[in-house]
């Protein structure tokens, strides 16, 4: 059968658009911000007339904002709610650096009495579990936590891949819904969150903020509302933890939510140093990146960011190196080398993800092929070329593969193993 030379040429161009030069961006078929190197496949990515992305523009805005004036606005809001009920506000905490910083600011600087609220994604790492307990004890706060069952988490993780193209819908939706549920139930009308969406995202700028209402987390991360996420193996009844209160309940309670990052100058690196050096918050290795603080509380960021690479051609190595380039801490060539070391690496925790969802590795990659086609920025050939190049340059990595499991699962399995060993020895 005679081949079509046009189709063959297009296929070759797609393959060749992956650039194996480690000092250059991966894909010549995409545009990259001239300042930070974020690619055009980023969600809502847009460049101005000189090639600078929305996030870089936001950082320029940030440098010219009157932060003293905005902190006075924050102080005025907090004063309105201080001492009016059993608790002054809700702070959503996870064990991560941002929520620990929120606690430091609200409790130690402004002197409010917060109720700490945790949606436990049930994927806590050992360090994450330790940091959560540390946060509660260090800042001496009352705490409410919801933990979905292991089987529900596993089913949601399976459904999440086909619904939104990553593993983490239950976390995206849970961290939004559960604090709203708690605010309505306990009649606490003020909720405090951390980093502004404008800080490291094209979904809003400091001059044009995304409304922080009850639908915020659906728009920013969950993408699919709870009633649409239900399926034949996850009835809507099981998704009660992820349902937002009704608009009437929220209005009747008068709940408002705010990001501290919209009212005070946000510097995640400096904040982490303060939490670590002054208080004892712990860092740890995080799959998919070279920084040791973001998402340290969870075992699953490796899968989350790897699926982003398979869909959009970049992962957390790109995210963090773009932040460092904006801050003047990294050159373009250094960024490109770091991106090659992290973004295309298949995470060790993928084995656990496949185990709990029942997907085979072939099914996982097939679903991600479909997700990438929906995005429409990169071809399968381009991604395959990147994956193959990474494996070629890191052929010995599989020898050191880790068995990553949630802290609770690991603890229970160790206890069961000890009990069985004790029984055998009798």
């Amino acid at each position: 059968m005679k081949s079509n030379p046009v189709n063959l040429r297009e296929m070759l161009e797609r393959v060749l658009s992956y650039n194996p030069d480690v000092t250059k961006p991966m894909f010549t078929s995409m545009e990259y911000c001239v300042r930070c190197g974020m690619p055009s496949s980023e969600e809502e990515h847009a460049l101005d007339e000189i090639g600078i992305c929305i996030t870089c523009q936001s950082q320029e805005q940030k440098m010219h904002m009157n932060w003293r004036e905005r902190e006075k606005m924050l102080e005025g809001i907090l004063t309105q709610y201080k001492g009016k009920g059993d608790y002054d506000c809700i702070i959503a905490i996870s064990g991560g650096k941002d929520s620990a910083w929120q606690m430091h600011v609200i409790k130690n600087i402004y002197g409010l009495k917060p109720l700490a609220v945790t949606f436990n994604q049930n994927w806590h790492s050992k360090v994450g579990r330790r940091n959560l307990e540390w946060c509660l004890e260090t800042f001496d706060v009352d705490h409410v936590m919801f933990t979905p069952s292991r089987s529900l988490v596993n089913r949601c993780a399976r459904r999440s891949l086909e619904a939104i193209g990553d593993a983490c819908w239950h976390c995206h939706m849970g961290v939004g819904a559960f604090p709203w549920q708690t605010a309505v139930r306990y009649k606490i009308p003020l909720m405090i969150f951390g980093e502004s969406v404008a800080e490291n995202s094209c979904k809003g700028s400091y001059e044009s903020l995304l409304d922080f209402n009850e639908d915020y987390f659906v728009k920013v991360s969950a993408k699919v509302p709870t009633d649409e996420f239900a399926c034949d193996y996850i009835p809507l009844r099981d998704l009660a933890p992820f349902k937002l209160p009704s608009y009437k309940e929220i209005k009747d309670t008068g709940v408002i939510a705010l990001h501290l990052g919209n009212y005070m100058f946000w510097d995640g690196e400096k904040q982490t140093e303060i939490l670590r050096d002054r208080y004892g918050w712990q860092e740890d290795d995080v799959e998919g990146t070279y920084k040791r603080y973001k998402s340290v509380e969870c075992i699953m960021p490796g899968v989350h960011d790897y699926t982003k690479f398979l869909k959009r051609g970049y992962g957390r190595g790109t995210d963090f190196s773009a932040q460092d380039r904006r801050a003047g801490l990294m050159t373009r060539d250094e960024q490109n080398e770091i991106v090659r070391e992290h973004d295309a690496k298949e995470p060790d925790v993928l084995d656990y993800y496949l185990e709990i969802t029942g997907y085979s590795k072939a099914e996982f990659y097939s679903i991600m092929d479909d997700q990438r086609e929906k995005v429409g920025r990169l071809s399968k050939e381009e991604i395959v070329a990147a994956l193959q190049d990474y494996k070629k340059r890191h052929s010995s990595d599989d020898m050191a593969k880790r068995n990553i499991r949630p802290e609770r699962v690991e603890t229970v399995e160790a206890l069961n193993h000890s009990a069985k060993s004790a029984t055998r020895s009798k």
Side-chain angles (χ1 to χ4, degrees):
M1 186 174 180
K2 196 172 183 179
S3 62
N4 185 326
V6 175
N7 290 341
L8 178 60
R9 183 169 62 250
E10 287 178 353
M11 185 179 72
L12 289 172
E13 286 174 352
R14 285 179 174 182
V15 174
L16 292 173
S17 72
Y18 170 74
N19 188 351
D21 184 345
V22 297
T23 66
K24 305 294 183 184
M26 281 194 192
F27 303 106
T28 60
S29 58
M30 291 202 293
E31 293 181 289
Y32 294 82
C33 173
V34 297
R35 180 170 294 171
C36 74
M38 283 299 291
S40 54
S41 57
E42 180 188 13
E43 192 173 356
E44 298 188 34
H45 187 275
L47 301 174
D48 67 10
E49 62 276 6
I50 59 174
I52 295 176
C53 72
I54 294 172
T55 309
C56 285
Q57 295 169 42
S58 293
Q59 292 301 309
E60 289 185 11
Q61 296 163 9
K62 182 180 173 182
M63 297 302 170
H64 298 285
M65 292 174 69
N66 187 333
W67 288 104
R68 287 188 178 182
E69 183 179 294
R70 296 191 73 83
E71 286 195 31
K72 286 181 180 179
M73 292 170 60
L74 174 63
E75 187 173 0
I77 294 170
L78 298 179
T79 300
Q80 291 178 40
Y81 293 91
K82 190 173 184 179
K84 300 296 173 63
D86 294 338
Y87 299 98
D88 299 325
C89 63
I90 280 174
I91 297 181
I93 70 168
S94 64
K97 67 175 183 66
D98 286 351
S99 53
W101 183 254
Q102 292 157 224
M103 197 64 74
H104 162 73
V105 170
I106 295 301
K107 186 84 190 292
N108 289 358
I109 295 179
Y110 287 103
L112 272 67
K113 180 187 177 182
L115 175 64
V117 173
T118 301
F119 175 84
N120 175 15
Q121 83 293 84
N122 220 345
W123 283 339
H124 263 125
S125 64
K126 287 184 179 179
V127 169
R129 175 74 68 174
R130 181 264 175 199
N131 280 342
L132 178 61
E133 296 297 331
W134 161 88
C135 188
L136 298 174
E137 295 298 319
T138 298
F139 298 109
D140 190 30
V141 291
D142 296 342
H143 181 227
V144 174
M145 180 165 71
F146 178 83
T147 304
S149 72
R150 182 66 58 198
S151 66
L152 179 59
V153 170
N154 294 351
R155 285 178 287 149
C156 285
R158 178 182 176 89
R159 168 74 172 136
S160 183
L161 195 70
E162 63 186 32
I164 63 172
D166 77 36
C168 306
W169 180 91
H170 83 285
C171 186
H172 299 319
M173 198 66 211
V175 298
F178 185 62
W180 282 99
Q181 291 176 359
T182 306
V184 168
R185 184 174 297 121
Y186 287 87
K187 295 182 170 54
I188 305 172
L190 177 63
M191 294 195 301
I192 307 292
F193 291 86
E195 183 179 270
S196 170
V197 70
E199 184 65 14
N200 291 297
S201 164
C202 287
K203 296 170 184 174
S205 69
Y206 281 106
E207 290 183 353
S208 180
L209 293 169
L210 187 64
D211 287 341
F212 195 4
N213 56 26
E214 57 277 0
D215 294 325
Y216 175 85
F217 287 97
V218 177
K219 294 176 183 175
V220 169
S221 54
K223 303 302 180 184
V224 176
T226 304
D227 57 348
E228 295 179 21
F229 191 79
C231 64
D232 57 346
Y233 56 88
I234 313 178
L236 188 58
R237 181 188 182 192
D238 287 4
L239 295 176
F242 311 101
K243 292 180 182 177
L244 288 158
S246 69
Y247 293 127
K248 184 179 186 304
E249 288 174 313
I250 292 171
K251 183 178 180 181
D252 289 347
T253 310
V255 181
I256 68 166
L258 61 83
H259 280 112
L260 285 181
N262 291 332
Y263 295 93
M264 60 187 303
F265 190 91
W266 201 261
D267 185 340
E269 297 272 354
K270 183 64 177 177
Q271 290 160 198
T272 301
E273 290 173 5
I274 292 171
L275 292 169
R276 182 193 64 204
D277 300 340
R278 183 186 301 179
Y279 290 115
W281 185 87
Q282 287 187 2
E283 297 177 293
D284 197 12
D285 292 335
V286 179
E287 281 202 288
T289 189
Y290 59 99
K291 293 186 184 287
R292 304 180 74 248
Y293 56 77
K294 182 69 172 175
S295 300
V296 72
E297 68 273 14
C298 181
I299 66 161
M300 202 59 74
V303 169
H304 176 274
D305 292 297
Y306 188 59
T307 56
K308 183 165 68 174
F309 175 76
L310 296 177
K311 282 188 299 187
R312 299 181 179 275
Y314 74 97
R316 197 170 295 206
T318 297
D319 290 328
F320 278 153
S321 59
Q323 293 175 34
D324 283 347
R325 277 190 65 188
R326 291 185 201 110
L329 301 174
M330 184 177 292
T331 66
R332 179 178 59 186
D333 287 353
E334 289 171 336
Q335 177 188 38
N336 289 328
E337 291 182 16
I338 281 176
V339 166
R340 303 295 180 129
E341 288 301 305
H342 296 282
D343 286 6
K345 182 182 186 300
E346 185 179 279
D348 293 345
V349 77
L350 181 61
D351 286 345
Y352 177 73
Y353 174 77
L354 297 176
E355 175 189 326
I356 65 174
T357 59
Y359 284 131
S360 67
K361 188 171 285 191
E363 288 172 326
F364 170 82
Y365 280 104
S366 177
I367 292 170
M368 292 313 304
D369 286 342
D370 293 339
Q371 294 288 349
R372 182 174 52 255
E373 288 182 10
K374 291 178 185 177
V375 175
R377 300 307 302 262
L378 292 168
S379 68
K380 180 177 180 178
E381 291 83 5
E382 288 172 300
I383 291 296
V384 168
L387 297 177
Q388 289 177 342
D389 186 44
Y390 180 89
K391 289 178 180 178
K392 181 180 178 181
R393 289 185 289 106
H394 298 82
S395 57
S396 63
D397 280 5
D398 285 344
M399 301 295 291
K401 202 166 188 180
R402 295 174 295 161
N403 181 24
I404 300 176
R405 307 176 81 75
E407 185 267 346
R408 286 177 63 189
V409 169
E410 204 168 43
T411 299
V412 170
E413 288 179 345
L415 289 171
N416 288 341
H417 178 73
S418 297
K420 289 178 182 177
S421 298
T423 301
R424 292 192 202 101
S425 65
K426 289 181 179 179

